[in-house]
Amino acid sequence: MKQFFASIVLLYLGLAARAGNPGVEIFTPGIPVVTGREYGIVTEICIESDGTDTLDRIDLAVTDLDLATLRSARLVYTGTLSAIRSRTTSYVLKEMGKRLGGGQMLCADEGFGNLLQVVHPTEPSFRIPVGKALVKGRNFFHVSLEIAPRTLGELARPFALRVERISVNGLNTPFEQQGAGHSRLGVSVRQHGDDGVYAYRIPGLVTTNDGSLIGVYDVRHVSSLDLQNDIDVGVSRSTDGGVTWEPMRIAMDMGQWGGLPQSQNGIGDPSVLVDTRSGEIFILAVWTHGCGGDRAWTSVGNGLEPGQTAQLMLTSSRDDGRSWSAPRNITRQIKHPEWFLTLQGPGRGICMSDGTLVFPIQFIGADRIPCAGIIYSRDHGETWHFHTPARTNTTESQVAELPDGSLMLNMRDNRKTGRAVSITTDLGRTWRQHPSSGELIEPVCMASLLSIPAERNVLGRDLLLFSNPATKKGRHSMTIRASLDDGYTWLPENALLLDAEENWGYSCLTQIDAEHIGILYESSVSQLLFQAVKLTDLVRVIPEEVRFEALPEIAEEGDYARGVSAPCCGFVDGRLIVAGGANFPADPLARESKKIFLDDIWTWEKGDATWRHVGKLPSKLAHAAGYACNGRLIVAGGANEKGPSKEVFALSVKRDKARITPLPSLPFEVEQAGAATSAERLYLAGGLTSQGVNESLLVCDLRTGARWRELARLPERMVQPVLVATPKAVYLWGGFDPLTGRCIPNGYRFDLESGRWTKTTPVPAGTTFTGATPFEPDTQGFLVTGGVNPECFEAGLKASGEEAEAYLSMPPAHYRFNRRIWYFSFADETWQEVGYSGRCALAGAASAFHRGMRFLVGGEIKPRVRSPKIWKMSLYGKHEKTTLQ
């Protein structure tokens, strides 16, 4: 009897031990759950077995889901392979995914998986009885939920399906839970086989004045391939926020024009916009005629006629998308005869706040290099105009109007260096590279951009939204991101993953109402899927530590319009003064491009709409030490094309006219030195001289004759250091050493009473203050922003020849200029991060401080490329009292 009970105990323990096998896994793939669809993977279960086990039952629970919308739950067994494309061993599933994108539905095929059970839950917790004998090895099951939302709120609400218990051989089996924490619903707007069509691609999406959603797309009748192909432009319309969609309409079909079959008259890659002034909806698409059936991208010629080149065709609707006009050819209004293929976005265009209609376009130039740009109409779509491309070697782009009225163009970049971003203030006559260029990663794919003004959303903040496959390789991880500062900063907390699996990757965003946005995209579960997202689900962090207000730029044209770095800057007698500085000519990255130095003096007072030109410096000058002191801006040293200077002078402004007063010179010429002032004492440390590196700390006491003398030798060689002074001490942080080519992380304190250097807290880990911008200290501490990335900077110093050209060619984000705002406390000599902003990612910017106002002037956004921006910066939170006094 004892042996019998012992055997039972051993058997129980053995089963329990094997039931705890870590091979029992639960995985939620983070892919959309298609509404109304019986089959679709919400959760996958994998059980490792020796071939003697039986899966008895699975207990589950749903949260944040209205049970009235839950029709059924299904359990499907797919044998020894996963049904998830990124995890499967099935080459068939992978190949079908390539051919059909989200149109493949093998998970619902009886030959691919066995339906084991269907239940109809009436409570949040429910059980699926199974009784399935397991084969030896890994056994895969997936749970599908059939959900039918009735309202926009239900469609946009994320929910969770949780596995609570799994019973194998009559025992509860421990398991590991992996993957996404929740699931989101999506509506299949178009799918392989709908209306007998093979594939639907290239989505565009807008919201009309009546609140309807208009989705446009390619109707690819016989294959998923691009033009030349039998393609029409289709339209789907929703009047309930995307919960349901009307039957498809064909808006553009060129038929058998010119006697050629439809496969040689395809029209597609549509872009859609709404004229918010008139309510008219426009679709712009590209028509290719002939081409011998070859791929249009490479086979379309130049010229203007249909038999020579692609045609830009425009249709419109004046009845909220119910019917569409005959296509109108606008090719001659836009295309240059020497261009090859010319086409729109695709995706969507915009109606600017002044009523101007704007479509993004792309074209292959006479040199066979593609370029992206915009076209615009100021007469409600009758005539269209083009000026210059934004950037070469770019293609599919999207445009958004920013709060200041400028246009941002976000482009697919063939350089594979991330999304290219440019700004225009004159409808494309001129373009400026945006500091965020290269920050948003991509696998080289179409993306979407959407601007939502503060007054039109529940957050009350200006929003810039972006969607694409957020990866550098492979079109997976469809993600929406939000920026609260016009694209300068994209916080990872304000990003939402919609679809983790592989898809064709094109997407288009629109605003549904004040609380919701919508996205139509090529997903892993449907060729064209619509999802609705609450803005509060997307924007989870609203930074309030630091706020920026843009001041007028110094000039609309000329040298200062291209931006400036290293000017003299200070607040004197209620005026912000900016003088001198340096930049590069119109093409700063050209091999022959040389730095130019400036000598103009500009002033701005609170309330001014423009800057005033009040005079010129004694000579062109940049990289000087500047001190706002006793109603004057004192300028010491600096450099121009002749080399460093030792001249010192005081600059003041009376009746809008600059006055220059010479002061005793420095002991030697010096540029790129650190400068600080305290109690009418001026300090200067480090920098470059005509003989090498200045290794002295100089002081000038304005109360005793303004003569300069050496106060001490520096503990290290430092160029572009940060120098800060208090009545009792001088603080110094590197900087870089040009002899070793290394950035210096060390910090030092010079005690004015003892005359000795001691080490203080170094610069924050992973950064450097080379090129950084310190602000005048208060009694408690000081702020510093910007600066280069040490790794990138040191690599740039070493580069030469073609390597140097390649280094200079990268987008701004590649150089990883510091975005953090650091505060140094004198009391405990520690650094604390008090803010984070892409607007601070500058090197060589100038600063000024006046009565709680901090000003950040110019600076590099990347090597050789200067910013014309001038920001007034306000800090809030912990350091508000100490830094804004």
Side-chain angles (χ1 to χ4, degrees):
M1 184 64 71
K2 289 182 179 180
Q3 280 187 325
F4 173 76
F5 282 115
S7 298
I8 293 297
V9 170
L10 288 173
L11 175 62
Y12 176 82
L13 291 176
L15 288 173
R18 196 159 55 78
N21 191 310
V24 179
E25 300 172 356
I26 311 297
F27 182 72
T28 301
I31 59 178
V33 177
V34 177
T35 62
R37 183 181 287 179
E38 295 179 344
Y39 293 93
I41 305 168
V42 181
T43 293
E44 184 176 73
I45 302 166
C46 177
I47 303 176
E48 188 87 27
S49 175
D50 62 4
T52 65
D53 301 309
T54 298
L55 173 61
D56 304 311
R57 67 175 188 273
I58 303 172
D59 292 350
L60 304 107
V62 290
T63 55
D64 298 318
L65 184 68
D66 188 337
L67 287 179
T69 67
L70 179 57
R71 293 179 177 175
S72 66
R74 284 170 166 78
L75 182 68
V76 175
Y77 176 61
T78 57
T80 59
L81 61 85
S82 170
I84 299 171
R85 186 172 170 186
S86 64
R87 295 159 64 90
T88 191
T89 56
S90 169
Y91 80 92
V92 174
L93 193 152
K94 292 180 179 180
E95 181 63 24
M96 292 294 286
K98 291 178 183 178
R99 293 182 183 182
L100 295 177
Q104 72 85 10
M105 279 292 294
L106 286 181
C107 64
D109 191 293
E110 292 183 358
F112 183 82
N114 299 331
L115 176 62
L116 299 181
Q117 193 62 262
V118 181
V119 298
H120 302 278
T122 58
E123 299 292 336
S125 294
F126 60 93
R127 174 173 295 175
I128 299 179
V130 186
K132 172 65 177 174
L134 305 181
V135 301
K136 185 176 182 179
R138 292 164 68 81
N139 292 255
F140 289 88
F141 304 80
H142 63 256
V143 180
S144 299
L145 297 182
E146 183 186 1
I147 302 171
R150 301 154 299 185
T151 65
L152 174 60
E154 292 174 349
L155 179 63
R157 188 179 184 182
F159 70 93
L161 175 65
R162 186 178 69 254
V163 177
E164 295 189 318
R165 280 175 296 277
I166 294 178
S167 175
V168 178
N169 302 328
L171 300 173
N172 288 339
T173 306
F175 51 82
E176 296 180 3
Q177 187 91 34
Q178 300 176 347
H182 63 267
S183 299
R184 289 185 170 272
L185 296 173
V187 181
S188 179
V189 177
R190 292 279 92 189
Q191 174 69 319
H192 166 71
D194 289 352
D195 294 310
V197 173
Y198 188 87
Y200 296 90
R201 285 216 58 194
I202 323 295
L205 183 66
V206 292
T207 305
T208 70
N209 287 0
D210 291 343
S212 300
L213 301 182
I214 302 294
V216 302
Y217 41 81
D218 276 11
V219 181
R220 301 188 173 188
H221 290 280
V222 296
S223 83
S224 62
L225 299 179
D226 299 338
L227 294 169
Q228 187 65 286
N229 196 353
D230 183 4
I231 301 176
D232 300 329
V233 174
V235 175
S236 288
R237 180 172 178 266
S238 173
T239 58
D240 58 6
V243 180
T244 61
W245 294 79
E246 296 174 356
M248 177 180 69
R249 297 171 170 90
I250 297 296
M252 305 176 85
D253 179 358
M254 300 307 295
Q256 298 181 14
W257 193 90
L260 291 179
Q262 297 212 32
S263 63
Q264 295 173 52
N265 277 296
I267 185 168
D269 283 49
S271 187
V272 60
L273 69 76
V274 176
D275 183 341
T276 56
R277 298 290 180 91
S278 68
E280 191 170 7
I281 310 164
F282 292 89
I283 300 175
L284 184 62
V286 62
W287 164 41
T288 53
H289 172 69
C291 300
D294 200 356
R295 188 165 186 244
W297 183 259
T298 54
S299 64
V300 163
N302 50 20
L304 295 173
E305 297 302 318
Q308 298 173 319
T309 193
Q311 304 293 297
L312 289 164
M313 307 299 291
L314 189 70
T315 183
S316 68
S317 172
R318 296 182 177 179
D319 58 4
D320 202 51
R322 295 177 181 86
S323 63
W324 296 87
S325 66
R328 176 166 60 96
N329 196 325
I330 63 169
T331 307
R332 289 179 176 272
Q333 297 182 28
I334 299 163
K335 187 180 182 299
H336 293 198
E338 67 272 17
W339 293 354
F340 292 87
L341 183 67
T342 305
L343 69 160
Q344 57 293 324
R348 62 175 290 158
I350 63 170
C351 180
M352 296 179 65
S353 54
D354 66 358
T356 303
L357 306 183
V358 181
F359 274 118
I361 70 159
Q362 53 185 313
F363 65 89
I364 299 176
D367 55 3
R368 290 287 186 180
I369 296 175
C371 300
I374 60 168
I375 60 172
Y376 67 91
S377 171
R378 283 182 158 164
D379 55 10
H380 301 285
E382 286 298 315
T383 59
W384 296 85
H385 312 276
F386 170 85
H387 294 299
T388 59
R391 185 168 171 80
T392 64
N393 209 10
T394 56
T395 56
E396 296 160 330
S397 63
Q398 290 286 264
V399 65
E401 183 181 15
L402 300 181
D404 64 0
S406 63
L407 294 177
M408 172 181 281
L409 193 67
N410 186 298
M411 299 162 274
R412 173 175 173 166
D413 196 332
N414 291 336
R415 298 169 184 83
K416 300 182 180 181
T417 54
R419 300 292 295 184
V421 183
S422 292
I423 298 289
T424 181
T425 58
D426 52 14
L427 292 173
R429 291 177 177 86
T430 60
W431 293 91
R432 178 189 303 160
Q433 191 174 34
H434 193 264
S436 69
S437 194
E439 180 179 353
L440 293 166
I441 63 172
E442 66 163 347
V444 188
C445 180
M446 182 264 190
S448 184
L449 190 70
L450 179 68
S451 177
I452 305 179
E455 63 272 16
R456 286 175 44 200
N457 69 79
V458 294
L459 299 175
R461 300 292 293 266
D462 291 323
L463 301 176
L464 188 65
L465 308 184
F466 174 81
S467 65
N468 81 330
T471 175
K472 293 182 179 179
K473 187 177 181 180
R475 295 181 180 180
H476 57 84
S477 303
M478 179 60 71
T479 301
I480 304 178
R481 301 180 184 276
S483 171
L484 281 75
D485 61 1
D486 303 337
Y488 280 91
T489 312
W490 298 90
L491 294 175
E493 295 87 350
N494 293 335
L496 187 64
L497 176 65
L498 296 180
D499 190 345
E501 288 296 305
E502 194 82 15
N503 52 72
W504 283 334
Y506 283 37
S507 63
C508 195
L509 294 160
T510 194
Q511 183 179 12
I512 302 173
D513 57 28
E515 296 183 51
H516 300 88
I517 57 170
I519 179 171
L520 183 65
Y521 69 99
E522 299 170 340
S523 82
S524 68
V525 295
S526 176
Q527 287 182 335
L528 289 179
L529 186 87
F530 173 81
Q531 287 188 276
V533 174
K534 290 187 68 173
L535 285 172
T536 50
D537 287 344
L538 172 62
V539 181
R540 297 184 289 275
V541 174
I542 301 180
E544 298 289 358
E545 301 91 349
V546 59
R547 296 180 189 172
F548 291 84
E549 177 186 341
L551 267 62
E553 295 179 11
I554 290 177
E556 294 184 358
E557 57 186 22
D559 292 330
Y560 283 88
R562 291 194 295 271
V564 65
S565 72
C568 296
C569 182
F571 222 98
V572 177
D573 291 336
R575 293 185 179 92
L576 178 59
I577 299 176
V578 176
N583 64 14
F584 283 79
D587 187 3
L589 302 182
R591 180 179 298 184
E592 66 278 5
S593 184
K594 301 292 184 183
K595 182 187 289 187
I596 59 174
F597 294 85
L598 310 174
D599 59 2
D600 297 281
I601 304 172
W602 302 86
T603 65
W604 175 87
E605 294 184 62
K606 185 177 181 180
D608 283 352
T610 59
W611 286 74
R612 303 177 190 180
H613 188 270
V614 297
K616 288 184 175 289
L617 297 173
S619 62
K620 295 181 179 182
L621 195 66
H623 304 290
Y627 311 87
C629 188
N630 291 341
R632 301 176 296 174
L633 179 60
I634 298 175
V635 180
N640 55 32
E641 63 276 357
K642 297 178 181 179
S645 168
K646 64 177 181 180
E647 299 304 313
V648 182
F649 58 87
L651 169 61
S652 59
V653 179
K654 302 296 182 183
R655 298 185 180 88
D656 288 338
K657 185 176 181 180
R659 297 183 180 181
I660 306 294
T661 305
L663 294 174
S665 298
L666 293 166
F668 43 78
E669 302 92 345
V670 66
E671 62 163 314
Q672 300 182 55
T677 180
S678 176
E680 296 191 58
R681 280 186 171 186
L682 313 181
Y683 298 94
L684 184 149
L688 290 172
T689 74
S690 56
Q691 304 300 316
V693 181
N694 168 35
E695 299 186 51
S696 298
L697 172 64
L698 303 181
V699 64
C700 172
D701 195 330
L702 297 177
R703 297 168 297 186
T704 58
R707 298 287 176 181
W708 292 86
R709 63 182 177 86
E710 182 180 88
L711 185 60
R713 300 293 289 175
L714 299 183
E716 293 190 63
R717 292 183 296 268
M718 292 186 179
V719 177
Q720 297 183 16
V722 164
L723 190 69
V724 176
T726 71
K728 295 183 179 181
V730 177
Y731 292 85
L732 177 69
W733 288 269
F736 74 98
D737 182 347
L739 300 185
T740 64
R742 301 299 299 273
C743 293
I744 299 167
N746 298 324
Y748 298 92
R749 180 183 64 253
F750 181 78
D751 187 272
L752 292 172
E753 184 176 343
S754 67
R756 294 179 180 177
W757 290 101
T758 57
K759 276 195 171 184
T760 187
T761 307
V763 300
T767 188
T768 176
F769 285 162
T770 302
T773 304
F775 289 87
E776 182 180 335
D778 54 48
T779 58
Q780 307 296 319
F782 78 100
L783 289 174
V784 63
T785 70
V788 301
N789 173 270
E791 180 183 0
C792 292
F793 181 77
E794 291 170 5
L797 289 178
K798 297 175 184 177
S800 61
E802 292 183 0
E803 187 180 28
E805 288 188 26
Y807 175 81
L808 291 174
S809 70
M810 301 302 290
H814 170 81
Y815 303 93
R816 292 181 285 162
F817 286 179
N818 175 46
R819 294 163 175 255
R820 288 171 168 79
I821 303 170
W822 297 101
Y823 184 82
F824 182 80
S825 171
F826 294 135
D828 56 8
E829 298 194 354
T830 59
W831 292 102
Q832 180 182 355
E833 182 182 334
V834 295
Y836 181 94
S837 175
R839 287 168 170 159
C840 295
L842 299 162
S847 69
F849 179 87
H850 178 67
R851 295 182 179 177
M853 295 183 292
R854 285 176 170 78
F855 299 88
L856 197 60
V857 179
E860 289 185 339
I861 66 170
K862 61 169 283 184
R864 292 193 175 191
V865 179
R866 275 48 170 164
S867 171
K869 290 291 186 180
I870 300 172
W871 301 107
K872 184 172 76 172
M873 190 173 77
S874 301
L875 190 73
Y876 296 85
K878 180 177 179 181
H879 295 284
E880 180 176 3
K881 294 183 179 179
T882 60
T883 59
L884 298 184
Q885 59 186 355

